[in-house]
């Protein structure tokens, strides 16, 4: 039985209801002061048809008694996704109740299906903070929010559980920062703003060095893709380089590259208004890798990792790059521009080549809101994963499954390679369909012979509505997967043993 805190009239107590409307044993033998009569609660569940399906809810106000109400929420079989949806549903409802006076949500995790261990506690802390996320208010009035969410688990004294709670908090706060960066509008954020935001948050963390390359350095470094895309903007491009090296790090050095287009108008190949509206979120890949290194550094993981964010605004002016331009990337490979709206691959090409040639990467992973085609293929919840080695793909899939971020591996099908041909350059930047795959094929040579994975997050980088731990707007998708992968030591080879 978890040690429930004393409950008062400002508290809402959540009760996890398992499949078949089963109530947790700690509620049924609820100690010297029963918080609620289980028969009374079972009746309320039956009346409302709540059979414990994950996230279904029944609110039972407790007039004149303590606590102020009981929120019975489905937890299904208490799998990790079930725990996430239980917590997210409880927190979201708790925030609504806060507008009517509730101050604290007490959230026990132990259910009839299973006691909660370290994994459940980490998932719960992440879900509680992320479902409760709100963008810094730019509107008024501000509805009243809960003062606290108290997560209760039977093993709360276990050091592994305490560490899991802290890791979950650091991960969620990093993801919330990524969401803030993504949700910041394009009239506020630009490449220099992004560089300043990253420096302000990261530069003082242990073992971290932040370097910002400006236009002069980009010219001398040969960043032709970044300069071309950024050329049309009144706010010139930057490349952010965040190095983290723990003294106990081994030999491997992953370099994570995130697309940092602070606004994507499409450029001269201009988007329609409907297609442009969401394009402040086109730096979500950059935000995800920045959040990853933020969490890695706060947790002081014993690894080395470098994050590269090529940041540019794809704007329209006399300085814009144009269809038919030929651009030379870091390392000398050239691209014929057929469509200025295929700008993400132009900047990622420089970032990947820079990671390989100048930063000494042992493995490259990029994250990008790269193609509308990926959204068409996989929908708004699932990212496309391309990888040059099965071991890297498997490791990222495992990490994503733990993180609760859906990934689907897509084929790097060479049969479409001919579409990339150009008569004036090494490749063209708009090879056509299958759009997600041809974009990945475009990027592949910039990784050379290094193991390389590409996450196209065009769908899941942004949520159209509140849903579980997601809040309408930027999601921070990718950060938790990469954090898990780095926690596991950034494996590239297949695991030695496969556990089902
Ligand atoms: N940022 C967009 C991709 C995108 C579209 C992300 C919708 C999220 C939602 C990217 O820069 C882009 O415009 N891609 C083009 C590429 C094409 C011109 C080859 C696309 O997908 O249409
Ligand atoms: Mn574009
Ligand atoms: Zn874009």
């Amino acid at each position: 039985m978890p040690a429930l805190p004393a409950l008062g009239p400002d508290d809402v107590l959540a009760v996890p209801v398992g499949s078949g409307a089963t109530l947790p044993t700690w509620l049924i033998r609820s100690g010297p002061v029963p918080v609620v009569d289980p028969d009374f609660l079972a009746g309320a569940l039956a009346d409302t048809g709540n059979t414990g399906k994950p996230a279904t809810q029944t609110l039972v106000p407790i007039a004149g008694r303590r606590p102020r109400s009981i929120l019975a929420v489905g937890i299904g079989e208490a799998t990790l996704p079930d725990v996430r949806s239980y917590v997210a549903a409880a927190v979201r409802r708790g925030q609504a109740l806060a507008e009517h006076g509730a101050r604290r949500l007490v959230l026990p995790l132990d259910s009839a299906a299973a006691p909660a261990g370290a994994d459940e506690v980490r998932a719960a802390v992440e879900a509680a903070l992320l479902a409760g996320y709100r963008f810094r208010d730019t509107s008024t009035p501000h509805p009243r929010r809960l003062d606290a969410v108290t997560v209760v688990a039977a093993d709360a004294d276990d050091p592994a559980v305490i560490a899991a709670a802290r890791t979950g908090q650091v991960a969620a706060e990093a993801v919330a920062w990524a969401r803030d960066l993504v949700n910041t509008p394009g009239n506020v954020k630009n490449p220099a703003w992004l560089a300043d935001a990253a420096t302000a948050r990261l530069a003082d963390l242990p073992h971290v060095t932040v370097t910002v390359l400006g236009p002069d350095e980009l010219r001398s470094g040969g960043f032709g893709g970044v300069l071309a895309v950024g050329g049309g903007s009144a706010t010139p491009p930057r490349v952010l380089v965040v190095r983290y090296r723990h003294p106990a790090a081994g030999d491997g050095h992953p370099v994570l590259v995130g697309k940092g287009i602070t606004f994507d108008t499409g450029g001269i190949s201009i988007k329609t208004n409907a297609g442009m509206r969401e394009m402040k979120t086109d730096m979500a890949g950059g935000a995800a890798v920045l959040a990853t290194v933020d969490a890695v550094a706060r947790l002081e993981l014993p690894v080395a990792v470098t994050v590269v964010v090529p940041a540019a605004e794809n704007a329209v002016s006399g300085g814009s790059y144009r269809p038919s331009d030929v651009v030379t990337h870091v390392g000398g490979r050239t691209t014929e521009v057929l469509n200025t709206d295929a700008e993400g691959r132009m900047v990622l090409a420089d970032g990947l080549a820079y990671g390989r040639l100048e930063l000494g990467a042992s493995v490259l992973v990029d994250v990008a809101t790269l193609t509308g085609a990926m959204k068409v293929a996989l929908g708004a919840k699932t990212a496309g994963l391309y990888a040059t080695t099965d071991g890297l793909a498997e490791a990222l899939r495992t990490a994503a499954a733990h993180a609760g971020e859906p990934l689907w591996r897509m084929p790097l099908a060479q049969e479409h390679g001919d579409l990339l041909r150009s008569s004036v350059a090494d490749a063209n930047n708009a090879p056509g369909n299958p759009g997600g795959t041809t974009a990945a094929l475009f990027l592949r040579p910039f990784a050379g012979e290094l193991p390389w994975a590409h996450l196209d997050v065009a769908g899941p980088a942004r949520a159209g509505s509140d849903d579980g731990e997601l809040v309408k707007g930027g999601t921070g998708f990718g950060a938790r997967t990469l954090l898990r992968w780095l926690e596991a030591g950034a494996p590239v080879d297949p695991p030695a043993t496969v556990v089902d």
Side-chain angles (χ1 to χ4, degrees), residues 259 261 263-264 266 271 279 282 314 341-344 369-371:
K259 174 174 172 180
I261 300 299
F263 194 80
D264 182 11
K271 288 183 183 294
M279 286 302 135
D282 213 19
N314 191 20
D341 197 10
E343 84 297 337
T369 48
L370 202 61
T371 67

Side-chain angles (χ1 to χ4, degrees), residues 60 63 73 97 117 134-135 173 216 225 244 261 263 265 270 301 304 362 390 400 438 458 478 487 490:
V60 184
V73 185
L97 296 171
R134 274 177 109 231
F135 183 47
E173 286 171 359
D216 291 343
Y244 171 83
I261 300 299
F263 194 80
T265 66
I270 196 165
L301 295 186
S362 60
D390 291 344
T438 57
E487 282 178 78

